[in-house]
C-alpha cells in the first residue's frame, strides 16, 4: 500500500492507494495506446485547447493541490503556489509550441534531377512515438511530476502518458492526475490520455510494457540507471530520458571576489539552501580564489550558513541520503566543516540543516565529487588559473556551471566558458543555477550522469523533441499526406517548412 | 592480420593491415579529441570548404577507388561509380547544410517578465558532441563506409571521426581514408579529423574509449546489439546509432494487381535482386491478393526470377548467412519455393542465386519474419483486407514499407498509410524501397530493430542532429557568446534563428 507521510512530523498520514498490479499496469498501457490515435489526429489546435483546459483544471484545484502538496512535501505554500503557476504556464507554453508548428520539422523535396539520377518526391515530418511513461520526481510535486514538463511535452506531441506517482507525494499525484483527466475530458478528449500507477514494481513494469515507446524520468542516479537498463534490455528497446542530477560547479574569479565577494556569498548561500537544497541544479562545489578577497567571501558565506535554519526534507529516503552523504563528506580526508546552520531551528521531522564544508585541492575525490542532495556546499580554494583548470578537470559533467567574473577576469572567464561548453548543459554568468526558465532557449540536461541522453532537454520548448520520430512519405498522393505536408496548406494549418531546401515562414 | 578477399573467386588477395591494438585505438581517439576544438572553432564556412575538398580528393582517386572496391566487393564498376558520386555529393550536401545554419537551432530569449517572475537572458544552440566512432557497412563500400554519411555528417557537425574499417573491403577503406585525410589537410585542417582502425576487437575498444562521444553503425542485428551494449555499459554511456536492417514489407492492393501486375512483378524482381539483394531496404515480404490478377503477378515474378542469374556476394560471412537463411526458409512449415535463378550462371566464388518463396498466411513466423540479407523474397497471398491487416500485425517494424495502389484501392491504401506510419521510417507509394535519396526530407531509420534510435535518421540533412548537443548560455556577455548567438550577427555569419519566440530567416 502507498502511504502519504508528513515530513514535518515524520509520520504516516493516510493510505492513498494500493500498489498497482502488473495486470493493471498492462491494462492502463493498453488503454493509453488506444487513446493515442485520436490524440494525434485531433490536430494541433485541438491539442493546444486540451493543454489549456488542463492548465485551467489545475488552477481550479489550486487550493487543494497546494495544501495537499505542502502537507506531503513541506515545501511551503509560497514555493508550491509558484510551482503550480509554473506547471499551468508550462501546459499553455506547449500549446504555443505546437501552434507554432516548427517542432514538426516539416520538409518537402519535390521530385527532380540529382547528380545520382532522378529523385522521388519526399516529404518528412515528425510524428508522436506513442504512449510515454513518466516518472515524477520527489522534489517538484508539480513541475517535474504528474502535471510537469514531461507530461506537458508528451501530450503536446500527441503521446498519451502513463505516470508513475512518486512515493513522496502520492496524494498530490492523485489529485493532479484527476485534474488533468478532467481537463482532457472537458476539451473533448479521452481522460485516458493521462493515467497513474503506484509503486516501485509498477514503475519497472511500466518501463518494460510493450505499448510504452519512451520513458521520461527525473530522479536519482541509481534509480535512473536501473530503469534505463530495463528500457535497453526490452525485446524492442525504447529511448530513456533520465535526468539524474549532478554536482554543479560554481567558479568565482579573482576580480569578482574582490569586487563583490559578499554579494556572491549571499547569493550562493541562498541558492544552495533554497528548497532545503533539494534541486538537481543546486550548486555543489564552489571554487573560490585563495587570498584575502576569497577569505572575506568564505567568511561571509559561513556567516550566512550559521544564521540559516534549514527545513524539513521531502521524505525519509531523501533525509537518510542527506545524512549519509554529509557523514561521508565529514569523514573524507582533506574535508573540514566551515559552518553549520542553527540546530535550534530544528523542529523535528526529517530535518535538513545547512552545512558548509571546505575541501583541500588534493581532496577532490570520492564523496566530494558525488551529488549530495540537500543543503550542503563544498568550497575549494585555488591559487592560480592553472591550478583551477586542473581541479575542474576532475569534476564530472553537470547540468549547469556558474561563473562569477568581472572585467578583470576576462581572459580567464573566456577559457572557463569554453571548458564548460564541453561539460554542461547550461552556463550561468554572474548568477546562480537554481531556477530553470520555461522558455524557447531553455536547456536542461548535460553529459552523463547529468542526463542519460545528452542530445535533448527535459525543460523548455525543445523538450517535445523526445517524443517524436520522423516519418518520410515517398511519392504519396496528395489526399493521403498529413495536412502539414500538403503543397497548399489547408485553411487554418500554419507552420514553417523547408521546401526544396529553402526554409519558409508560417 | 586483416586480409582483402576477392568474392568472385573466394580467395585471399593481399594482407592490408595488422589488427589495431588497444593502445593504438586509444592513441587515435586521443589524437581525434585533440583535433576537435579546431574543427569546431574554424567555423561553418571553413568546415564546408573542407567537406568539398574531401569530395574533390575522392574524385581525384576515383579510378583507383572504384577498381579496388570492385575487386573487394564484386559490386561492379557501374554501381560503384554511382556510389562514389553519391559519397562525394553527400559531402558537398552537408557543406550546404551547415552553410544554411538552421541545423544549429539557434534560439535567443531576451530577459523579461514571465508569470513566474523575471526570466534571465537565455541563448541556446547545438554544439558538436566530440569525437565520433563510425562503423562501415559491408554492402556500401563508399556511401555507408569510410567516406559515407556518418562520416560526412559528423565532420560537418564539427566532430572528428575514428572509423572501424569493414573486413569486407579493407583496402578500399584504407584508400578512402587517405583521400579524406588529404582533403582535410588541403583545406588547412589536421588530417587526424579522420582516422581508421582495423579488427573486431578494435571496434569494441573504440566503442568503449572515453574520448568517443557517440557511435554510428550500419550492419547486422547481432553486431549492432553487441556494440550497443558496450556503449550503454560504459562508465559514461554514449548514444549508439545502429542501423540494423529489417524485413521491408511491400503490399500490392487488388486494383493495382489487376491494372499493372506485370509491371509490379518486374519492378519488384529488380528491387529484391538489385546488388545481389544486399540492401537493408530490400523488400523482403510481398503481400499479393489472392485471385487471378495476383496469380498473374506472381507468375510474372517467378518468370523474372527464373531468368535472373545472381552474382557474387560481398563476403564469406554474407554468403554463409544467405545460405543459412534460405535453408531455414526452405525448411519452414508452410513455405514453398516458387522460383530460383539460373544455376548455369554461377561462375564460382561466393555466389548468391535469386530465390522466390511463398509462405502460407499461417506461416508468418520464425525465419519468414527475420531479415535474410541477399536476393530472396517471400510472397504471401491474402484474401481480404481484414486478413491482410492481421498479417501485417505480425510483421515487425522496418525501415520502409511500400504500397502499390490504384484509384480503386483508395480506402484500403489510406488505412495502410496510417498503419505503416506507426511502424516504419519511410512509406513508398507505387515504387520500390531500394534507393535512399540524399536530401533534406530523407528519413532512413525506423522502430527497433530497423534502427536502435527511432528519433533520428542516418541519411539526409537531419543525420547531422545525431552528433550535436544543446548548450544554453544564461546572461553571458556579448563578447563571450558564439557568433551565431550574438544580437547583431557578425559579417558573413548567417542562419535562421528563433528570437523571443519568433522564427526569423537568415
Amino acid at each position: 500500500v502507498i502511504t502519504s507521510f508528513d515530513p514535518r512530523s515524520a509520520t504516516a498520514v493516510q493510505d492513498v492507494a494500493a500498489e498497482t498490479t502488473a495486470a493493471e499496469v498492462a491494462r492502463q498501457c493498453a488503454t493509453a495506446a488506444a487513446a493515442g490515435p485520436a490524440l494525434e489526429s485531433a490536430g494541433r489546435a485541438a491539442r493546444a485547447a486540451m493543454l489549456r483546459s488542463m492548465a485551467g483544471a489545475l488552477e481550479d484545484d489550486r487550493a487543494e493541490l497546494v495544501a495537499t502538496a505542502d502537507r506531503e512535501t513541506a515545501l511551503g505554500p509560497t514555493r508550491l503556489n509558484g510551482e503550480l503557476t509554473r506547471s499551468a504556464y508550462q501546459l499553455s507554453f506547449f500549446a504555443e509550441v505546437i501552434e507554432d508548428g516548427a517542432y514538426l520539422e516539416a520538409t518537402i523535396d519535390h521530385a527532380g534531377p540529382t547528380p545520382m539520377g532522378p529523385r522521388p518526391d519526399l516529404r518528412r515530418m515528425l510524428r508522436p512515438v506513442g504512449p510515454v511513461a513518466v516518472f515524477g520526481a520527489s522534489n517538484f510535486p508539480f513541475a517535474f511530476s504528474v502535471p510537469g514538463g514531461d507530461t506537458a511535452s508528451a501530450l503536446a506531441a500527441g503521446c498519451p502518458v502513463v505516470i508513475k506517482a512518486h512515493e513522496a507525494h502520492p496524494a498530490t499525484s492523485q489529485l493532479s492526475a484527476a485534474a488533468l483527466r478532467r481537463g482532457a475530458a472537458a476539451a473533448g478528449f479521452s481522460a485516458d490520455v493521462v493515467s497513474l500507477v503506484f509503486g516501485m514494481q509498477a514503475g519497472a513494469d511500466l518501463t518494460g510494457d510493450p505499448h510504452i515507446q519512451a520513458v521520461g524520468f527525473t530522479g536519482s542516479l541509481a534509480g535512473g540507471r536501473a530503469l534505463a537498463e530495463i528500457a535497453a534490455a526490452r525485446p524492442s528497446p525504447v529511448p530513456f530520458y533520465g535526468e539524474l542530477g549532478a554536482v554543479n560547479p560554481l567558479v568565482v574569479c579573482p576580480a569578482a571576489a574582490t569586487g563583490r565577494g559578499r554579494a556572491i556569498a549571499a547569493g550562493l548561500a541562498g541558492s544552495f539552501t533554497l528548497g532545503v537544497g533539494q534541486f538537481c541544479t543546486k550548486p555543489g562545489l564552489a571554487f573560490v580564489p585563495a587570498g584575502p578577497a576569497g577569505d572575506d567571501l568564505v567568511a561571509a558565506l559561513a556567516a550566512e550558513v550559521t544564521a540559516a535554519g534549514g527545513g524539513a526534507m521531502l521524505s525519509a529516503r531523501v533525509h537518510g541520503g542527506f545524512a549519509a552523504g554529509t557523514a561521508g563528506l565529514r569523514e573524507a580526508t582533506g574535508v573540514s566543516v566551515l559552518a553549520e546552520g542553527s540546530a535550534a531551528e530544528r523542529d523535528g521531522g526529517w530535518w535538513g540543516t545547512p552545512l558548509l564544508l571546505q575541501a583541500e585541492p588534493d581532496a577532490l575525490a570520492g564523496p566530494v565529487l558525488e551529488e549530495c542532495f540537500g543543503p550542503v556546499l563544498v568550497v575549494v580554494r585555488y591559487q592560480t588559473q592553472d591550478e583551477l583548470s586542473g581541479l575542474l578537470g576532475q569534476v564530472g559533467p553537470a547540468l549547469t556551471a556558474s561563473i562569477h567574473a568581472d572585467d578583470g577576469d576576462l581572459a580567464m572567464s573566456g577559457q572557463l566558458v569554453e571548458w564548460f561548453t564541453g561539460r554542461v548543459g547550461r552556463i550561468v554568468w554572474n548568477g546562480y543555477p537554481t531556477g530553470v526558465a520555461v522558455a524557447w532557449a531553455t536547456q536542461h540536461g548535460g553529459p552523463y550522469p547529468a542526463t542519460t541522453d545528452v542530445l535533448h532537454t527535459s525543460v523548455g520548448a525543445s523538450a517535445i523533441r523526445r517524443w517524436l520520430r520522423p516519418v518520410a512519405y515517398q511519392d504519396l498522393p496528395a489526399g493521403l499526406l498529413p495536412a502539414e505536408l500538403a503543397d497548399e496548406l489547408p485553411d487554418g494549418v500554419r507552420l514553417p517548412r523547408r521546401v526544396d531546401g529553402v526554409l519558409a515562414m508560417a
Side-chain angles (χ1 to χ4, degrees), chain A:
Chain A
V1 71
I2 304 294
T3 303
S4 177
F5 289 86
D6 180 348
R8 294 187 176 95
S9 60
T11 53
V13 173
Q14 63 173 129
D15 289 343
V16 173
E19 298 202 24
T20 310
T21 63
E24 177 61 14
V25 171
R27 195 196 63 75
Q28 285 186 215
C29 292
T31 302
L39 190 59
E40 185 188 16
S41 65
R44 294 181 282 138
R47 278 206 307 288
M50 180 191 77
L51 295 168
R52 293 190 176 104
S53 174
M54 289 173 160
L58 292 176
E59 289 292 358
D60 290 343
D61 295 355
R62 176 179 285 272
E64 189 181 9
L65 283 165
V66 167
T68 306
D70 184 44
R71 209 266 297 136
E72 286 192 308
T73 67
L75 289 170
T78 304
R79 147 73 188 272
L80 289 167
N81 269 298
E83 192 182 324
L84 190 62
T85 299
R86 175 193 178 93
S87 301
Y89 172 76
Q90 192 160 241
L91 285 159
S92 305
F93 176 70
F94 276 108
E96 286 175 44
V97 169
I98 61 175
E99 285 169 342
D100 172 90
Y103 82 101
L104 289 170
E105 300 180 10
T107 307
I108 297 174
D109 288 323
H110 290 100
T114 79
M116 289 83 67
R119 183 183 67 201
D121 183 281
L122 282 170
R123 298 171 191 235
R124 179 188 198 260
M125 65 180 275
L126 304 186
R127 306 289 300 255
V129 293
V132 160
V134 168
F135 286 76
S138 64
N139 57 337
F140 282 89
F142 301 127
F144 287 80
S145 288
V146 172
D150 285 345
T151 298
S153 56
L155 290 171
C159 301
V161 292
V162 183
I163 309 169
K164 190 263 180 186
H166 198 283
E167 283 73 14
H169 47 260
T172 307
S173 298
Q174 209 168 44
L175 288 173
S176 302
L180 296 181
R181 289 172 60 89
R182 207 173 66 236
F189 286 85
S190 164
D192 292 328
V193 298
V194 172
S195 64
L196 199 60
V197 302
F198 291 92
M200 299 282 278
Q201 183 58 44
D205 293 342
L206 180 59
T207 304
D209 188 275
H211 287 295
I212 295 298
Q213 296 302 314
V215 183
F217 174 91
T218 303
S220 71
L221 181 59
R225 190 119 190 180
L227 289 170
E229 278 169 21
I230 294 175
R234 290 165 49 123
S236 294
V238 295
F240 180 86
Y241 301 100
E243 201 261 76
L244 308 183
V247 182
N248 297 286
L250 180 146
V251 175
V252 183
C253 295
T258 302
R260 50 189 174 87
R262 294 194 173 202
I264 294 171
L268 181 53
S271 183
F272 94 84
T273 61
L274 188 71
V276 203
Q278 299 166 124
F279 286 92
C280 51
T281 52
K282 181 201 78 171
L285 267 176
F287 294 89
V288 176
D295 292 346
D296 277 0
L297 189 161
V298 173
L301 187 58
E304 297 271 358
V305 171
T306 303
M313 301 189 79
L314 294 161
S315 69
R317 178 187 291 262
V318 166
H319 181 252
F322 179 63
T326 51
L329 283 164
R330 286 170 192 266
E331 289 162 14
T333 308
V335 175
S336 53
V337 173
L338 291 178
E340 294 187 70
S342 163
E345 294 268 349
R346 182 184 172 109
D347 67 355
W350 294 315
W351 199 260
T353 302
L355 178 63
L356 182 69
L357 301 165
Q358 178 159 322
E360 299 308 309
D362 58 3
L364 279 190
V368 177
L369 298 180
E370 289 160 19
E371 182 184 23
C372 181
F373 198 69
V376 56
L377 172 70
V378 178
V379 171
V380 182
R381 308 294 297 271
Y382 66 91
Q383 300 279 347
T384 64
Q385 192 181 339
D386 274 356
E387 184 187 16
L388 176 65
S389 298
L391 295 172
L392 292 177
Q394 298 170 58
V395 178
L399 289 164
T400 73
S402 304
I403 302 167
H404 281 265
D406 285 351
D407 289 349
D409 300 313
L410 195 63
M412 175 175 173
S413 57
Q415 290 184 20
L416 288 171
V417 169
E418 204 46 44
W419 168 257
F420 284 129
T421 290
R423 305 278 285 181
V424 307
R426 178 168 55 109
I427 297 176
V428 180
W429 185 264
N430 287 346
Y432 307 93
T434 39
V436 179
V438 175
W440 289 90
T442 304
Q443 173 58 26
H444 189 62
Y448 188 91
T451 44
T452 55
D453 181 287
V454 72
L455 275 67
H456 297 96
T457 177
S458 67
V459 182
S462 320
I464 198 173
R465 183 62 184 87
R466 299 171 297 164
W467 322 119
L468 296 160
R469 52 176 282 265
V471 177
Y473 302 93
Q474 179 171 324
D475 291 331
L476 212 67
L480 293 178
L481 283 168
E484 285 88 351
L485 291 178
D487 277 325
E488 296 291 326
L489 288 171
D491 280 351
V493 177
R494 303 180 70 224
L495 75 166
R497 304 195 295 183
R498 185 177 291 273
V499 180
D500 295 327
V502 180
L503 196 58
M505 307 306 294

